[in-house]
Amino acid sequence: MVAAAAALPPNAGLVAACAAALIGAVIASVHHAEVVAHRVGEPLGTIVLSICVTVIEVALIFTVMLSAGPEAAALPRDTIYSVIMITCCGVVGLSLVIGAVRHREQAFHVLGSNASLATLVAMATLALVLPAFTTSTPGPTYTPSQLMFASIASLALWCGFVFVQTVSHREYFVPVGITVDAQAAAPRPARGQALASLTGLVVALVAVVALAHEISPSIEAAVGRAHLPKSVISVVIALLTLLPEAWAAIRAAMADRIQTSLNLSLGSALASIGLTIPAIAVSSRLVGSTLVLGLAPKELVMVVLAFFVTSITLVAGRTHLMLGLVHLVLFGAFLFLSLVP
């Protein structure tokens, strides 16, 4: 498919086929990541999924930035903002609502989820809020040294969180009622199956990068013809990369494992900042572009509201229907304001 797209002139049918192949490659990559995740166990498995989704996200951002040039300076900011709103409002909201319909109430570990949210708030402030208030450069941008500090700090926070989640306090991130020892004793995929999935995962990620490079100009053109804000491209990228992981979170909620749903949703947002900001910072230096990272007032209000509501949701250790509905309303507001700013 990639070879055909590169050899043939662009047309609607070929673009549609590439888009379908891209979605298939994303789903295949997450499927293989899930097999590897089952082999290594929870919560390390959710980290594998988050890293895979972030690799896809960075690839899509980078390919669009290369094709659009300086006009895409705000694309990483808009994409990370979209990831935060989709995960904290959309994925969490759907998981809570579907879990409440299926099980009425679900329990999770407050200490684990609060650690995730605290880390996410700190990362988001460093990456998306402070650039709008610094004075060393005009506009919502960082100087090279400031960007380097924010990148290193974000990466350090993410690495520290991974250590806490997988080593020092792993018990806070496994589903309630399941101990770490009991989970380690559960049946796991064979080593050969896990290695085969790891190979398939690498192949699928390569296909995602190649196909994204082929269809990114068509996405930009379609947004332009519809006279939509350019930030819609970022929403499309975030939705595309998060769709399979969102499905995994919903399935976990249906199986009464809301802790896994929260690990997946918040973990995706954490990886999106902790890994994307350093990667995009390095790539922007290589291509000589300046990143616009500071959020506009409207987006800043939405992020603060999302974090505030999520902190209330995670304070009791139990979920119910109304909490999920509030998250979904905020997600609807995010989508509407993206189309009608």
Side-chain angles (χ1 to χ4, degrees), residues 100-179:
V101 170
R102 188 78 177 262
H103 303 283
R104 192 169 181 270
E105 289 186 0
Q106 293 180 292
F108 60 91
H109 295 290
V110 175
L111 290 175
S113 298
N114 280 348
S116 304
L117 183 61
T119 308
L120 179 58
V121 171
M123 282 185 178
T125 302
L126 287 171
L128 303 179
V129 178
L130 283 180
F133 297 95
T134 55
T135 58
S136 298
T137 57
T141 60
Y142 269 150
T143 65
S145 60
Q146 289 172 335
L147 181 58
M148 180 180 298
F149 173 80
S151 300
I152 294 174
S154 298
L155 184 60
L157 283 171
W158 184 79
C159 291
F161 174 77
V162 169
F163 175 78
V164 169
Q165 188 180 33
T166 60
V167 179
S168 65
H169 294 81
R170 187 170 181 171
E171 66 274 11
Y172 294 159
F173 298 90
V174 297
V176 172
I178 300 177
T179 64

Side-chain angles (χ1 to χ4, degrees), residues 51-110:
I51 291 176
C52 292
V53 168
T54 304
V55 169
I56 296 171
E57 177 188 333
V58 171
L60 291 173
I61 292 174
F62 191 61
T63 52
V64 174
M65 288 181 67
L66 286 178
S67 61
E71 296 181 359
L75 181 65
R77 175 200 66 186
D78 294 338
T79 303
I80 294 174
Y81 163 69
S82 298
V83 168
I84 292 174
M85 296 304 298
I86 292 170
T87 54
C88 289
C89 297
V91 179
V92 170
L94 276 174
S95 299
L96 296 184
V97 168
I98 293 175
V101 170
R102 188 78 177 262
H103 303 283
R104 192 169 181 270
E105 289 186 0
Q106 293 180 292
F108 60 91
H109 295 290
V110 175

Side-chain angles (χ1 to χ4, degrees), residues 70-303:
E71 296 181 359
L75 181 65
R77 175 200 66 186
D78 294 338
T79 303
I80 294 174
Y81 163 69
S82 298
V83 168
I84 292 174
M85 296 304 298
I86 292 170
T87 54
C88 289
C89 297
V91 179
V92 170
L94 276 174
S95 299
L96 296 184
V97 168
I98 293 175
V101 170
R102 188 78 177 262
H103 303 283
R104 192 169 181 270
E105 289 186 0
Q106 293 180 292
F108 60 91
H109 295 290
V110 175
L111 290 175
S113 298
N114 280 348
S116 304
L117 183 61
T119 308
L120 179 58
V121 171
M123 282 185 178
T125 302
L126 287 171
L128 303 179
V129 178
L130 283 180
F133 297 95
T134 55
T135 58
S136 298
T137 57
T141 60
Y142 269 150
T143 65
S145 60
Q146 289 172 335
L147 181 58
M148 180 180 298
F149 173 80
S151 300
I152 294 174
S154 298
L155 184 60
L157 283 171
W158 184 79
C159 291
F161 174 77
V162 169
F163 175 78
V164 169
Q165 188 180 33
T166 60
V167 179
S168 65
H169 294 81
R170 187 170 181 171
E171 66 274 11
Y172 294 159
F173 298 90
V174 297
V176 172
I178 300 177
T179 64
V180 175
D181 293 336
Q183 191 177 70
R188 297 183 299 170
R191 181 178 180 182
Q193 183 182 0
L195 290 175
S197 288
L198 182 61
T199 303
L201 176 61
V202 173
V203 173
L205 290 177
V206 171
V208 166
V209 175
L211 288 166
H213 178 71
E214 295 299 328
I215 70 170
S216 59
S218 300
I219 295 176
E220 296 175 55
V223 170
R225 285 194 300 268
H227 304 290
L228 295 173
K230 288 187 177 296
S231 59
V232 172
I233 297 175
S234 305
V235 178
V236 172
I237 291 175
L239 285 172
L240 180 63
T241 56
L242 291 171
L243 182 60
E245 193 164 22
W247 176 238
I250 291 171
R251 287 191 300 172
M254 293 178 64
D256 201 16
R257 291 185 289 111
I258 196 65
Q259 182 68 58
T260 300
S261 300
L262 295 175
N263 290 347
L264 285 165
S265 54
L266 298 179
S268 296
L270 286 168
S272 178
I273 301 177
L275 300 179
T276 300
I277 289 295
I280 295 300
V282 172
S283 62
S284 66
R285 295 285 291 175
L286 293 177
V287 300
S289 62
T290 301
L291 294 177
V292 177
L293 291 176
L295 289 172
K298 173 173 63 68
E299 286 74 21
L300 180 57
V301 169
M302 290 297 296
V303 165

